[in-house]
């Protein structure tokens, strides 16, 4: 910049000096004509290079760039350097993009980039085989024109992308796809899809195996249990000195029976995604039934109370909710020492309905709470066995609630008691008017 300024000053000074010399040698009119001619020539020079620059800019190839003279040499040199820097950055970007393209093609999962209007901006090669999206043909198309699976469209429009969805492939009926949408940037989304057919098949085999084994074990166990019961009923059939062993045999047979029943219930729940036989549940009748069962199980050892809002009814499977509520109540009884209090509550909490079981029992340490719904997870193995637990109760509860778009909340304080709450969404609730008793 400094250089350019000196050049302009030097040129102006030279022209002025030459004009003064001409004035001194001839007269002022000739000097003025000389000065004007000089200025016009100077202006023409600028216009000439400006025109060259504009022409070059129409097709800015660095190899055809003019060199320029005087001031313009500096201008062209500066543009040249800038252009070189830009082209180097562009090359770097292109090579990074190429690397990204190659890496994205190597990913076995399909990846599709959507803009805020859910139009396809980019996709990798596996997207063609898994989702039928061809980047060359389908760029700019709304994804719902190409992926017409109802569950996917619902998922995309739900804006609840925390969990993935599993769908049968519409391209290959044998395949199962797992699709996850990840929002990012300015309302953009990344759709990641993987083929989980193998995992799904293994999961099916595992489930079938458990169901078959449980089923096969049930018959011989029922026979053994039946014989033990009959023997127990026959006076003197069991000699006094083996009475102890005999009752242990009965206890263990019963334990195995409960275990098999729970395993069968769990595999039945796992094998179908949706809740069957949905209907409007008469919640008052259901809660009264659960309360009576609780009292029978407690045999008067606890103080059990029910506080229910009769204006809230529920839509779902009556058998499944009976099983879920019953499991929570039976746990409260089994894990609350004699003399403790257990209260069952049914009420609204904001938009949701909540069934909670509050006990003054053993309580659970915080570190166990997240794992309680895992199969066979017990805080205290021996206590669970003593009280006839299978370690599958909360697992069954969680499955039932997931099928009803509901969730289980657990709050507990070690040594003080626990609250297990079933939280049901608005879509599962019917609020009705209850006639007020007249005075
Ligand atoms: P289990 O058949 O062993 O009771 P669950 O799946 O029903 O199996 O419960 C898992 C574990 O959670 C239990 O073993 C117990 O340690 C703990 N638990 C469940 N409910 C309660 C409760 N109300 N109070 C204390 N601990 C509980």
């Amino acid at each position: 910049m400094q250089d350019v300024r000196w050049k302009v000053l030097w040129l102006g000074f030279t022209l002025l000096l030459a004009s003064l010399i001409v004035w001194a040698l001839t007269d002022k009119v000739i000097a003025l004509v000389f000065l004007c001619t000089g200025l016009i020539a100077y202006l023409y020079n600028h216009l000439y290079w400006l025109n060259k620059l504009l022409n070059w800019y129409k097709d800015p190839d660095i190899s055809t760039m003019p060199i320029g003279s005087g001031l313009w040499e500096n201008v062209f040199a500066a543009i040249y350097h800038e252009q070189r820097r830009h082209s180097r950055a562009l090359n770097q970007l292109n090579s990074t993009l190429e690397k990204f393209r190659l890496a994205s093609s190597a990913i076995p999962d399909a990846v599709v980039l959507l803009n805020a209007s859910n139009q396809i901006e980019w996709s990798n090669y596996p997207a063609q085989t898994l989702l039928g999206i061809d980047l060359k043909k389908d760029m700019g198309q709304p994804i719902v024109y190409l992926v017409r699976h109802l569950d996917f469209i619902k998922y995309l429009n739900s804006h609840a992308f925390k969990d993935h969805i599993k769908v049968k492939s519409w391209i290959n009926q044998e395949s199962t796809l797992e699709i996850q949408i990840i929002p990012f940037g300015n309302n953009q989304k990344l759709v990641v899809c993987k083929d989980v057919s193998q995992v799904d098949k293994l999961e099916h085999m595992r489930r079938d195996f458990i169901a078959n084994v449980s089923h096969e074990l049930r018959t011989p166990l029922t026979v053994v249990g039946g014989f033990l019961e009959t023997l127990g009923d026959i006076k003197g059939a069991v000699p006094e000195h083996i009475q102890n062993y005999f009752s242990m045999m009965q206890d263990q047979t019963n334990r195995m029976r409960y275990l098999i029943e729970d395993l069968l219930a769990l595999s039945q729940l796992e094998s179908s995604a949706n809740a069957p036989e949905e209907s409007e549940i008469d919640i008052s009748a259901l809660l009264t039934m659960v309360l009576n069962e609780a009292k029978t199980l407690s045999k008067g050892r606890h103080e059990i109370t029910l506080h229910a809002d009769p204006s809230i009814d529920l839509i779902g499977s009556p058998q499944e909710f009976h099983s879920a509520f019953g499991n929570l109540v039976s746990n409260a009884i089994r894990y609350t020492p004699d003399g403790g209090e257990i209260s069952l509550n049914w009420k609204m909490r904001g938009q949701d309905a909540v069934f909670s079981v509050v006990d003054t029992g053993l309580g659970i340490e915080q570190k166990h709470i997240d794992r309680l719904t895992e199969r066979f997870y017990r805080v205290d193995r021996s206590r669970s066995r003593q009280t006839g637990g299978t370690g599958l109760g909360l697992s069954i509860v969680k499955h039932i609630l997931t099928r009803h778009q509901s969730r289980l909340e657990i709050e507990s304080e070690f040594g003080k008691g626990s609250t297990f709450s079933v939280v049901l969404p608005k879509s599962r609730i019917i609020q009705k008017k209850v006639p007020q008793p007249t005075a």
Side-chain angles (χ1 to χ4, degrees):
M1 199 62 205
Q2 198 81 356
D3 193 26
V4 172
R5 208 179 301 149
W6 278 116
K7 271 187 184 171
V8 172
L9 276 175
W10 175 245
L11 217 86
F13 176 72
T14 317
L15 192 63
L16 206 66
L17 193 70
S19 305
L20 286 173
I21 293 169
V22 172
W23 190 0
L25 293 178
T26 56
D27 67 58
K28 63 179 172 192
V29 178
I30 294 175
L32 207 62
V33 170
F34 180 82
L35 182 68
C36 288
T37 315
L39 281 175
I40 287 169
Y42 181 66
L43 209 63
Y44 173 78
N45 179 51
H46 280 313
L47 285 175
Y48 171 80
W49 287 116
L50 194 64
N51 187 42
K52 277 253 179 209
L53 177 65
L54 286 176
N55 280 339
W56 174 80
Y57 227 89
K58 282 178 195 154
D59 180 19
D61 182 354
I62 202 157
S63 63
T64 60
M65 185 175 213
I67 294 169
S69 69
L71 258 184
W72 285 91
E73 198 178 329
N74 292 37
V75 174
F76 282 117
I79 295 174
Y80 180 81
H81 284 298
E82 184 53 33
Q83 200 68 9
R84 279 277 303 273
R85 204 186 56 77
H86 178 69
S87 106
R88 261 201 305 267
L90 207 67
N91 283 345
Q92 212 165 1
L93 191 70
N94 278 340
S95 106
T96 311
L97 273 178
E98 182 59 17
K99 273 188 216 152
F100 172 73
R101 201 184 60 76
L102 286 174
S104 71
S105 305
I107 301 173
D109 303 344
V111 181
V112 184
L113 199 84
L114 302 181
N115 64 14
S117 318
N118 294 333
Q119 288 160 325
I120 298 165
E121 284 198 332
W122 177 86
S123 65
N124 65 353
Y125 181 70
Q128 197 170 341
T129 28
L130 289 181
L131 299 169
I133 293 172
D134 181 347
L135 182 60
K136 280 192 195 123
K137 281 193 292 175
D138 303 326
M139 172 111 151
Q141 294 276 354
I143 193 166
V144 288
Y145 285 4
L146 301 151
V147 181
R148 300 215 43 82
H149 198 290
L150 260 184
D151 288 349
F152 174 77
I153 298 173
K154 245 200 249 166
Y155 178 48
L156 183 68
N157 294 333
S158 72
H159 299 280
F161 303 132
K162 215 172 121 236
D163 297 320
H164 60 250
I165 54 161
K166 245 191 210 178
V167 292
K168 272 270 160 238
S169 166
W170 50 97
I171 293 169
N172 173 7
Q173 282 302 309
E174 304 281 287
S175 309
T176 308
L177 303 177
E178 188 182 286
I179 303 178
Q180 168 92 61
I181 296 179
I182 305 156
F184 73 100
N186 192 12
N187 257 334
Q188 287 164 290
K189 294 172 199 88
L190 200 66
V191 181
V192 182
C193 167
K194 60 175 136 188
D195 188 338
V196 289
S197 316
Q198 277 307 331
V199 182
D200 218 41
K201 226 178 259 171
L202 283 174
E203 181 68 14
H204 257 285
M205 277 166 62
R206 182 193 63 79
R207 231 181 277 152
D208 288 352
F209 176 74
I210 294 176
N212 289 339
V213 169
S214 313
H215 208 77
E216 291 299 322
L217 283 175
R218 187 152 70 166
T219 320
L221 207 62
T222 314
V223 175
V224 173
F227 280 142
L228 287 176
E229 220 167 280
T230 317
L231 268 178
D233 287 346
I234 302 172
K235 237 184 170 185
V238 185
E240 199 62 41
H241 65 281
I242 60 162
Q243 196 71 46
N244 249 358
Y245 301 119
F246 186 77
S247 14
M248 267 161 71
M249 275 161 73
Q250 275 184 319
D251 286 349
Q252 293 303 321
T253 317
N254 281 339
R255 219 169 78 72
M256 265 167 86
R257 235 180 1 212
Y258 296 144
L259 197 61
I260 282 170
E261 292 307 329
D262 276 0
L263 277 173
L264 278 172
L266 203 55
S267 66
Q268 209 165 11
L269 287 170
E270 280 180 332
S271 57
S272 59
N274 299 317
E277 302 161 34
E278 296 214 352
S279 60
E280 193 178 323
I281 303 171
D282 178 355
I283 199 81
S284 303
L286 176 66
L287 292 177
T288 311
M289 191 149 63
V290 172
L291 177 71
N292 289 336
E293 284 165 2
K295 284 183 173 161
T296 312
L297 196 65
S298 159
K299 293 186 186 126
R301 289 174 294 129
H302 308 94
E303 195 190 321
I304 307 173
T305 48
L306 169 68
H307 312 275
D309 179 343
S311 68
I312 322 161
D313 268 350
L314 184 62
I315 303 169
S317 157
Q319 291 82 6
E320 291 190 7
F321 273 112
H322 183 194
S323 161
F325 291 180
N327 257 307
L328 296 181
V329 174
S330 114
N331 276 354
I333 291 166
R334 288 190 295 117
Y335 298 106
T336 302
D338 294 0
E341 290 165 23
I342 295 164
S343 79
L344 321 184
N345 308 283
W346 173 244
K347 58 181 179 195
M348 290 301 291
R349 189 174 75 188
Q351 302 265 54
D352 303 325
V354 178
F355 170 72
S356 61
V357 182
V358 186
D359 66 52
T360 55
L362 304 175
I364 308 156
E365 278 178 89
Q366 211 56 31
K367 64 179 179 193
H368 297 292
I369 288 187
D370 286 344
R371 301 196 57 192
L372 289 183
T373 55
E374 285 174 25
R375 271 168 241 193
F376 298 114
Y377 189 86
R378 291 128 157 164
V379 175
D380 180 346
R381 223 157 245 280
S382 58
R383 176 152 192 118
S384 162
R385 283 211 187 104
Q386 262 171 30
T387 57
T390 61
L392 293 171
L394 291 181
S395 212
I396 292 175
V397 173
K398 189 186 168 190
H399 264 85
I400 292 174
L401 298 188
T402 308
R403 283 149 66 87
H404 288 85
Q405 302 80 44
S406 310
R407 62 178 199 279
L408 179 67
E409 284 179 2
I410 307 170
E411 282 168 62
S412 190
E413 206 174 323
F414 187 56
K416 290 210 167 149
S418 314
T419 302
F420 284 74
S421 307
V422 171
V423 184
L424 299 130
K426 201 175 154 198
S427 57
R428 293 253 156 221
I429 306 163
I430 300 174
Q431 276 192 284
K432 54 183 192 203
K433 280 209 170 84
V434 179
Q436 297 296 316
T438 43

